[in-house]
Amino acid sequence: MADILASLRSLMASQSPPLDALLVLSEDYHQSEYVSARDKRREFVSGFTGSAGLALITKNEARLWTDGRYFLQATQQLSDQWKLMRIGEDPPLDVWMSDNLQKEAAIGIDPWCVSVDTAQRWERAFAKKNQKLVQTSTNLVDEIWKNRPPAEINPAVHHPLEFAGRSVAEKLKALREKLSSEKARGIIITALDEVAWLYNIRGSDVSYSPVVHAFAIVTLNSAFLYVDKRKVSSKVSSSLQANGIEVREYGAVSSDAAMLASNQLDQATGVNFGQNGVCQNDTCDNDLIWVDPASCCYALFSKLDANKVLLQQSPLALAKALKNPVELDGLKNAHIRDGAAVVQYLVWLDKQMQEIYGASGYFLEGEVTSKKIPNAPCRETMKLTEVSVSDKLEGFRASKEHFRGLSFPTISSVGPNAAIIHYSPQAKTCAELDPNSIYLFDSGAQYLDGTTDITRTVHFGKPSAHEKACYTSVLKGHIALGNARFPNGTNGYSLDILARIPLWRYGLDYRHGTGHGIGSYLNVHEGPHQISFRPQARNVPLQVSMTVTDEPGYYEDGNFGIRLENVLVIKEADTEFNFGDKGYLSFEHITWAPYQIKLIDLSILTPEEIQWLNRYHSKCREILAPYLDKNEMEWLKKATEPHSSFVGHMVAT
């Protein structure tokens, strides 16, 4: 790590002008959350593997900013050459640099790896001391990364209408109508999932996300896909051409953005005006270029006339989030198959924990009788680790129809590791399962008909009263949010508190948001909406046919972590009244897997919460039955049967 920093500082000094600081971001050229191996530049320089973070390297210091999901992980992974800056607790990066770097400092950035809004925010902050954001001609990290993974040539594939639900022609027509209404004559699309959704293509350029490294430009009269042409088969090419989409090399997007700015792109293609678009002649008064400031890189923005740019959220973000009926059916079916895989995993794991470790198991609270696992050499082949059990879970998913891979690295975490919110176990260093500790697994899969994300927390021994109280508080928040009814126009910022109130009652909380959208065989984290305490959750109201997760948690550093997560679909609510004629909304659960009864403190639950839990468990049995064998179904019946206390509550209501 010291050699990496020394090499970067040497390169910084050789630049013109010499750089006083260098910013190394987590994102790729498309501002992606998850990036390919060759784009993990921040991880390479810092050693921190979390998906969110920003590194600053000065002549004498190295600092890394990250959010509350990763405080503990960053503390463990950063060397003593780095200082952790906790977002929300320490000064923001732009404030720190403005306050701590000298006047007229030159701060280097790769303009392809920073969004327009971030770059402009920094420029405003730096201007106070005449500090300057310098766009480097190359990425300095790439220059010193000797063993940087090569670019992979993975094929782009057509995503059929039976899963997509809307044709490319329909999507382009709607997009062009939106452009026209905003007086725009073109849009540069940079977010990988938006390109994939618009053109109904998928790929495997980024692990866990079925996307292709590509840009798109759409005008009122033409459409382009910028991609390594070696990835595009003749079949896919023909499909694109049939929809008026011209395939160009990935690197051509830079020059074409400049041509778009000078209104030469359509003329250069020889497109007949009005053939594909909404403009019937070349006298349209639309003169703006639409750019999403959160996803468009500064390099492409710099090719445009800033006075003729519409800086506004991409219209595709909301269009993609509003699932069509085919996508909703696919998501529901995918979650049923996924729920069956999770139950099969729990059945298997329950048996293994009892046979290998002498655990009392999923249902009983007894002490561990004895550790039956022998000493070496058999021990290494018999023991269960965070990685070996997560591999088994992947195997259960892989047996299901339409499976295409995981949707993110499985968070398989035991005891103290479960307190690391986005923990990523590694085969050489991961923990062995412990029947006396909580086990949290947050996982999901990519299926052709939908993307899944589920979290369950279990204990195979005897949980403490404190662990039960914490689990039950998380469950109460999970139920409260899932049962919410709210008027049209409500955003996720307003609902976030519902999941936290049961935790706040005991002085507990969690440092992450409560819900995110889910893609339709796309990214597992999808906007533009979210349920969170963060200000951006105010930006977009929750709407019918959106998906969103419900995942409160609680984490005690060094002890345990708890999280429960289901995917919900937003639907119209059947309310007795309709104040203000607003219309009201509610949630529908589409995730199916049991909550562990022995981790619940029944005295904390209300009769209404117990009634909800029984109804949910009853649906689990009914919905998953066709996908389970006799033994698995017997286990599920036991896992979801009403406890005697539950029955009493049900009778009382």
Side-chain angles (χ1 to χ4, degrees):
M1 200 62 64
D3 291 343
I4 292 173
L5 292 175
S7 297
L8 278 175
R9 286 173 175 137
S10 177
L11 265 182
M12 289 161 58
S14 69
Q15 300 299 298
S16 181
L19 300 178
D20 298 288
L22 178 69
L23 290 161
V24 182
L25 288 76
S26 303
E27 291 78 13
D28 58 12
Y29 290 5
H30 306 267
Q31 306 307 301
S32 308
E33 177 185 13
Y34 294 110
V35 300
S36 65
R38 66 185 275 102
D39 289 321
K40 294 182 178 180
R41 298 178 178 90
R42 187 226 61 229
E43 178 180 326
F44 171 73
V45 300
S46 69
F48 168 63
T49 62
S51 65
L54 194 156
L56 172 69
I57 299 158
T58 70
K59 295 176 180 178
N60 303 307
E61 290 187 89
R63 292 173 179 254
L64 181 126
W65 276 258
T66 192
D67 62 54
R69 295 172 297 169
Y70 296 107
F71 289 170
L72 184 55
Q73 179 179 339
T75 300
Q76 295 174 348
Q77 292 183 333
L78 292 175
S79 72
D80 56 9
Q81 305 209 17
W82 287 84
K83 177 174 175 57
L84 172 62
M85 302 295 285
R86 293 171 169 83
I87 294 176
E89 298 179 11
D90 294 320
L93 179 135
D94 49 354
V95 173
W96 187 92
M97 287 197 292
S98 179
D99 291 345
N100 290 276
L101 296 182
Q102 70 269 28
K103 289 184 177 180
E104 300 182 355
I107 302 155
I109 187 73
D110 180 349
W112 287 92
C113 294
V114 62
S115 67
V116 176
D117 60 358
T118 298
Q120 291 183 335
R121 185 177 72 251
W122 287 344
E123 286 180 330
R124 289 191 295 270
F126 300 161
K128 298 173 185 176
K129 291 176 63 176
N130 291 323
Q131 297 167 336
K132 186 177 181 180
L133 192 65
V134 177
Q135 300 184 36
T136 59
S137 57
T138 61
N139 191 293
L140 301 192
V141 175
D142 294 351
E143 292 192 35
I144 68 163
W145 194 350
K146 296 179 181 179
N147 297 315
R148 186 184 177 204
E152 296 184 14
I153 309 302
N154 300 310
V157 297
H158 174 64
H159 191 51
L161 196 59
E162 65 178 291
F163 299 121
R166 289 182 70 192
S167 68
V168 176
E170 289 179 274
K171 294 176 181 180
L172 283 172
K173 183 176 184 293
L175 174 58
R176 287 177 171 131
E177 289 172 351
K178 188 68 175 176
L179 292 178
S180 186
S181 70
E182 295 289 344
K183 303 300 181 184
R185 56 183 173 83
I187 182 171
I188 301 175
I189 304 164
T190 54
L192 297 181
D193 61 334
E194 291 185 6
V195 175
W197 179 85
L198 177 64
Y199 289 160
N200 282 350
I201 56 173
R202 298 293 189 269
S204 55
D205 285 349
V206 178
S207 296
Y208 311 106
S209 299
V211 294
V212 183
H213 277 137
F215 295 97
I217 291 179
V218 176
T219 74
L220 296 174
N221 311 285
S222 56
F224 305 89
L225 174 68
Y226 299 89
V227 63
D228 188 325
K229 287 186 176 181
R230 292 174 294 177
K231 299 177 182 179
V232 183
S233 67
S234 58
K235 181 179 179 181
V236 172
S237 181
S238 296
S239 174
L240 292 168
Q241 290 174 9
N243 286 287
I245 302 162
E246 182 178 338
V247 179
R248 295 193 169 185
E249 285 292 348
Y250 183 80
V253 68
S254 183
S255 58
D256 276 12
M259 291 181 68
L260 178 66
S262 59
N263 206 12
Q264 299 178 53
L265 187 58
D266 279 336
Q267 287 88 331
T269 64
V271 167
N272 294 319
F273 283 86
Q275 178 183 349
N276 301 313
V278 296
C279 236
Q280 297 305 312
N281 55 61
D282 56 2
T283 61
C284 289
D285 59 357
N286 299 40
D287 199 34
L288 298 175
I289 305 302
W290 195 327
V291 162
D292 187 329
S295 62
C296 181
C297 61
Y298 206 45
L300 289 179
F301 173 76
S302 299
K303 301 290 183 181
L304 308 176
D305 179 351
N307 294 319
K308 294 185 177 181
V309 172
L310 175 63
L311 278 176
Q312 191 168 287
Q313 184 178 79
S314 167
L316 299 182
L318 181 58
K320 176 168 51 64
L322 297 173
K323 303 295 186 275
N324 63 57
V326 172
E327 289 174 319
L328 286 176
D329 285 344
L331 279 162
K332 291 176 182 179
N333 290 331
H335 279 83
I336 291 171
R337 297 193 304 274
D338 200 68
V342 169
V343 169
Q344 289 170 332
Y345 172 61
L346 286 171
V347 173
W348 172 84
L349 188 56
D350 184 19
K351 182 179 180 182
Q352 296 297 307
M353 291 299 293
Q354 293 181 61
E355 292 182 351
I356 296 175
Y357 295 97
S360 56
Y362 186 90
F363 301 106
L364 302 178
E365 290 193 46
E367 302 286 351
V368 175
T369 55
S370 64
K371 287 215 171 186
K372 299 182 181 179
I373 186 168
N375 293 323
C378 297
R379 177 180 176 81
E380 289 306 309
T381 58
M382 289 184 63
K383 74 175 184 179
L384 302 178
T385 69
E386 292 166 328
V387 168
S388 68
V389 296
S390 68
D391 288 345
K392 188 70 175 181
L393 174 55
E394 182 176 357
F396 285 117
R397 285 192 163 107
S399 69
K400 301 296 179 278
E401 185 182 19
H402 300 319
F403 176 82
R404 289 296 180 271
L406 300 182
S407 55
F408 59 96
T410 298
I411 300 170
S412 174
S413 50
V414 176
N417 290 339
I420 303 173
I421 297 170
H422 273 202
Y423 174 70
S424 179
Q426 304 300 313
K428 292 182 179 180
T429 58
C430 68
E432 184 175 356
L433 263 65
D434 181 354
N436 294 310
S437 296
I438 274 180
Y439 172 61
L440 181 157
F441 63 105
D442 183 347
S443 61
Q446 295 286 3
Y447 302 93
L448 283 174
D449 52 353
T451 302
T452 68
D453 187 1
I454 176 177
T455 307
R456 289 296 184 266
T457 303
V458 296
H459 199 302
F460 293 100
K462 185 175 182 178
S464 68
H466 177 57
E467 288 170 332
K468 285 186 176 184
C470 293
Y471 180 95
T472 310
S473 297
V474 172
L475 177 62
K476 286 171 71 71
H478 178 75
I479 294 172
L481 177 59
N483 284 344
R485 292 188 175 190
F486 48 95
N488 269 304
T490 303
N491 56 47
Y493 185 88
S494 301
L495 296 184
D496 182 77
I497 190 175
L498 298 178
R500 297 180 191 272
I501 286 176
L503 289 156
W504 289 353
R505 189 169 290 128
Y506 295 96
L508 308 177
D509 204 349
Y510 51 97
R511 289 192 176 103
H512 56 76
T514 304
H516 58 81
I518 292 279
S520 179
Y521 186 39
L522 272 175
N523 292 352
V524 70
H525 292 162
E526 182 177 86
H529 59 292
Q530 57 181 297
I531 298 175
S532 176
F533 58 89
R534 297 185 176 92
Q536 54 265 42
R538 296 190 181 105
N539 295 344
V540 179
L542 301 177
Q543 299 172 46
V544 170
S545 80
M546 283 179 169
T547 58
V548 68
T549 59
D550 172 4
E551 50 178 312
Y554 173 67
Y555 313 89
E556 280 192 9
D557 291 355
N559 291 321
F560 63 86
I562 295 165
R563 185 163 61 254
L564 297 171
E565 177 185 19
N566 280 7
V567 173
L568 314 175
V569 171
I570 301 172
K571 63 178 184 177
E572 292 183 354
D574 183 17
T575 56
E576 184 176 356
F577 304 105
N578 184 20
F579 180 79
D581 292 324
K582 293 180 177 181
Y584 284 73
L585 306 178
S586 62
F587 295 116
E588 174 188 353
H589 286 258
I590 63 171
T591 299
W592 305 107
Y595 305 95
Q596 191 177 25
I597 301 302
K598 82 173 185 182
L599 266 172
I600 299 173
D601 182 343
L602 299 176
S603 67
I604 299 176
L605 291 184
T606 66
E608 292 78 17
E609 289 166 339
I610 291 173
Q611 192 175 43
W612 178 88
L613 194 60
N614 278 320
R615 285 198 305 267
Y616 176 83
H617 276 165
S618 177
K619 288 182 180 178
C620 281
R621 293 193 300 272
E622 176 187 346
I623 290 171
L624 298 182
Y627 298 87
L628 304 176
D629 65 24
K630 183 179 179 181
N631 178 59
E632 293 160 350
M633 194 60 209
E634 286 301 314
W635 186 97
L636 181 59
K637 286 179 179 177
K638 189 173 182 181
T640 57
E641 66 184 8
H643 188 280
S644 58
S645 299
F646 284 25
V647 174
H649 279 294
M650 290 186 74
V651 170
T653 59

